[in-house]
Structure formats: structure tokens, C-alpha cells
Amino acid sequence: MSLDISLETEARLAAKAREQGLSIDAFLERLLNDAGDRTASAANGEAPVLPVRYLGVRGSLHRRDIYDDVR
């Protein structure tokens, strides 16, 4: 099988595979397996698990906090 991709995309793909110490074929297989896990949970009607980030306490946002036109 062959895919027609741009040289830039091919270079990025090869670089990502090299970073993980994999061949391009193994890297693509890993990507497809990971994508399959996500689509399987979506097909089951389950909500995807999203990463949680705690951004600290946030107060209310006022116009004066954004613009300097408040007198």
C-alpha cells in the first residue's frame, strides 16, 4: 500500500517516529491502534476521557479588567 503525502508531512512523520525510536510502519500502526481505542469508546456511547487541568480560582471578569475606557 502506498499513500501520497507531501514531503513536509513525510519528514514530520519520520521525525516523530525517530523521537519514539520506532520505524515509520510501527509508528503508524501505534497511531492507528490508539485511534481505534478512541473510536471504540465513542461507538459504545461512552463519553471520551478528557485531560483535566486545574487552572486555579477564577473570579468574575469585568469590562474594566479588559479595557482602559472605564472612568
Side-chain angles (χ1 to χ4, degrees):
M1 175 182 213
S2 65
L3 298 172
D4 293 325
I5 58 175
S6 68
L7 293 176
E8 180 181 312
T9 302
E10 184 178 358
R12 288 177 53 209
L13 185 60
K16 292 281 187 183
R18 240 181 283 114
E19 284 176 8
Q20 296 186 16
L22 299 170
S23 68
I24 293 177
D25 289 338
F27 180 70
L28 287 173
E29 186 172 342
R30 180 180 286 179
L31 286 176
L32 289 173
N33 289 337
D34 290 349
D37 293 343
R38 286 189 214 116
T39 56
S41 65
N44 294 338
E46 299 174 11
V49 178
L50 301 174
V52 177
R53 304 243 192 278
Y54 180 70
L55 300 176
V57 178
R58 299 282 180 200
S60 57
L61 186 61
H62 298 282
R63 180 180 174 83
R64 67 178 173 269
D65 297 332
I66 302 170
Y67 300 104
D68 293 332
D69 65 351
V70 178
R71 295 179 193 170

